[in-house]
Each structure stands twice: as C-alpha cells, then as structure tokens.
C-alpha cells in the first residue's frame, strides 16, 4: 500500500502532539469477536462509529511503526483508496449512516498491524483507539538433544529382536545336555546291535555243529 507524505505528516503530528486529539467527537472501532483468532485468508470487517457525518480515513500502523493510508470514505459514500484505486482487490469500504466500514477481503501477514479510524473536523484530527489485528503466532518446539523416547510399539519390537546375552548361555547348556544324553544312548544302541550280531553268528555256528554230529 502506498502512503501519502502529507497524510503521514498529519498522522505523525496527531500521534506526537496531544493537543491535536479533540475530545468533542466520539469515535469507536468495532471488530469481530474472533479477531484474536484470525486465520490467513479470513475476511475481516472493521466498523468505525462516529457522532457526525464528515467522512473518515482508515489507516494501518505496521509492526515497525510505519503508517499506511488505506482509504478515505466521504460523507457521500465515495471511497478513495491508496494509489487512486477505484476497485482494489484486497479491500472494500462502505458507509451506512455514520458507520464507516473497512473490509479486508482475505487477511494476509501483510495486513497485520493496528487499525485506526481518523476524522478531520475543523482542522482537527480525531483518532479512534487502535484496533490490533494479527495472525496467531505459531511456536515450534526445538528438538531435544537427548535421545528421543521411542514409541511403545517400536520399543516392543526392539526388545523382541534384541539379542539377549542369557539366551546364548542357555543354548550352550542345552547343547551340552543333548551331548550327555544322546551320546551314551547312541553308544548303548551300538553295543546292543553288536551283541545282537554276535549272538546271531554264534547261534548259526552252534546249529551247524549239531547238524554235523547227527550225520
């Protein structure tokens, strides 16, 4: 938005010199209830209530303190925007009775600041209280330098797949137990098999001898 040097000079004088603020006029800015929860792209409408029909200015003071002229709404409902724009894409302005409204069609970070309604009466400037309009601050949590806590499911999986030192010892004991059990058993089976073979051979020899004797 462009700024008018002459208007900014008057505004600076108005902020700096208390005498320039009249007390005979009442100016009130009405804002929506959810203005403290503005969202990007939201429509914002501000209303300036006055006790006269003299026309009104809308200005914005950004975070750095710079003043920006937005629009002048005359007593005949004619709106003159910054840069002589007749139909700006970002703002709307209209008048109903003694209420001068400013509409921000789609609120963006560039529209953040304090909004003032200004009336010039008998070469005196009258300011409304500033109406702050800011987007909510998004805070991010810095990542911790300490080891992050794993999720419960991941912890269980890691515990299931992790090597247990006691399990290796148990497997060795089982292996030795198998040796002590199966080796003697295999030896006993082998001895029985040998004894069976010897018995069969001896029995055959005895039968042959008996057969020869009978002849």
């Amino acid at each position: 938005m462009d700024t008018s040097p002459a208007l900014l000079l008057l505004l600076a004088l108005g902020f700096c010199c208390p005498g320039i603020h009249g007390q005979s006029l009442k100016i009130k800015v009405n804002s929506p209830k959810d203005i403290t929860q503005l969202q990007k792209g939201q429509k914002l409408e501000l209303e300036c209530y006055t006790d006269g029909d003299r026309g009104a200015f809308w200005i914005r003071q950004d975070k750095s303190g710079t003043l920006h002229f937005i629009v002048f709404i005359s007593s005949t409902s004619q709106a003159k925007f910054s840069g002589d724009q007749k139909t700006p894409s970002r703002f709307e302005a209209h008048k109903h009775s003694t209420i001068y409204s400013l509409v921000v069609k789609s609120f963006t970070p560039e529209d953040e600041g304090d909004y003032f309604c200004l009336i010039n009466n008998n070469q005196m400037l009258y300011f409304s209280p500033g109406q702050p309009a800011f987007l909510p601050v998004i805070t991010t949590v810095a990542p911790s330098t300490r080891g992050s806590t794993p999720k419960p499911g991941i912890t269980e999986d890691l515990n299931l797949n992790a090597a247990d030192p006691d399990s290796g010892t148990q497997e060795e004991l089982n292996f030795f137990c198998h040796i002590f059990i199966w080796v003697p058993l295999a030896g006993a089976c082998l001895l029985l098999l040998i004894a069976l073979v010897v018995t069969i051979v001896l029995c055959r020899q005895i039968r042959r001898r008996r057969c020869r004797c009978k002849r």
Side-chain angles (χ1 to χ4, degrees), residues 9 12 18 32 38 40 50 58 75 81-82 95 99 101 122 134 141 154 159-160 168 171 174 177-178 182 212 214:
L9 177 60
L38 278 175
K40 187 176 180 181
T50 67
W58 277 102
S75 58
F81 290 89
S82 174
K95 171 182 176 293
I99 301 175
S101 300
N122 295 328
F134 296 91
V141 180
I154 297 177
N159 290 338
L160 290 175
E171 289 180 359
N174 293 336
C177 288
H178 289 307
W182 290 105
R212 290 177 182 176
K214 289 179 180 182

Side-chain angles (χ1 to χ4, degrees), residues 5-213:
L7 176 61
L8 295 184
L9 177 60
L10 291 175
L11 296 177
L13 291 175
F15 280 111
C16 297
C17 305
I20 204 168
H21 295 276
Q23 299 297 331
S24 60
L25 291 179
K26 294 181 180 180
I27 306 175
K28 177 184 177 183
V29 174
N30 188 28
S31 62
K33 295 180 180 180
D34 60 346
I35 193 170
T36 57
Q37 300 177 353
L38 278 175
Q39 300 296 327
K40 187 176 180 181
Q42 180 179 338
K43 181 179 179 181
L44 173 64
E45 183 172 1
L46 301 175
E47 296 178 338
C48 178
Y49 292 82
T50 67
D51 60 355
D53 193 7
R54 305 171 182 84
F57 295 88
W58 277 102
I59 61 174
R60 178 179 65 91
Q61 185 178 28
D62 60 22
K63 295 179 181 180
S64 64
T66 304
L67 299 174
H68 300 267
F69 166 71
I70 301 176
V71 65
F72 170 71
I73 309 172
S74 67
S75 58
T76 59
S77 302
Q78 298 295 322
K80 183 178 181 181
F81 290 89
S82 174
D84 295 330
Q85 299 180 27
K86 294 183 179 180
T87 56
S89 59
R90 297 175 58 191
F91 301 100
E92 291 180 358
H94 49 83
K95 171 182 176 293
H96 177 69
S97 183
T98 58
I99 301 175
Y100 298 85
S101 300
L102 171 68
V103 178
V104 184
K105 297 180 181 179
S106 180
F107 199 85
T108 65
E110 296 180 0
D111 300 316
E112 291 184 316
D114 294 311
Y115 286 79
F116 295 88
C117 179
L118 168 65
I119 293 178
N120 184 12
N121 182 43
N122 295 328
Q123 299 182 351
M124 295 288 290
L125 293 178
Y126 300 88
F127 288 86
S128 70
Q131 174 58 60
F134 296 91
L135 294 172
V137 179
I138 301 176
T139 58
T140 56
V141 180
S144 177
T145 55
R146 299 177 181 178
S148 59
T149 303
K151 296 181 179 180
I154 297 177
T155 304
E156 292 176 0
D157 293 339
L158 292 176
N159 290 338
L160 290 175
N161 296 327
D164 188 1
D166 294 335
S167 62
T169 305
Q170 185 64 33
E171 289 180 359
E172 293 179 358
L173 292 176
N174 293 336
F175 176 73
F176 288 115
C177 288
H178 289 307
I179 291 177
F180 286 120
I181 293 174
W182 290 105
V183 169
L185 184 60
C189 292
L190 181 60
L191 292 176
L192 290 175
L193 180 60
I194 294 173
L196 180 60
V197 173
V198 172
T199 302
I200 293 173
V201 172
L202 292 176
C203 288
R204 285 182 178 181
Q205 290 179 356
I206 294 172
R207 286 179 181 179
R208 288 178 182 178
R209 290 178 182 179
R210 288 179 180 178
C211 291
R212 290 177 182 176
C213 292

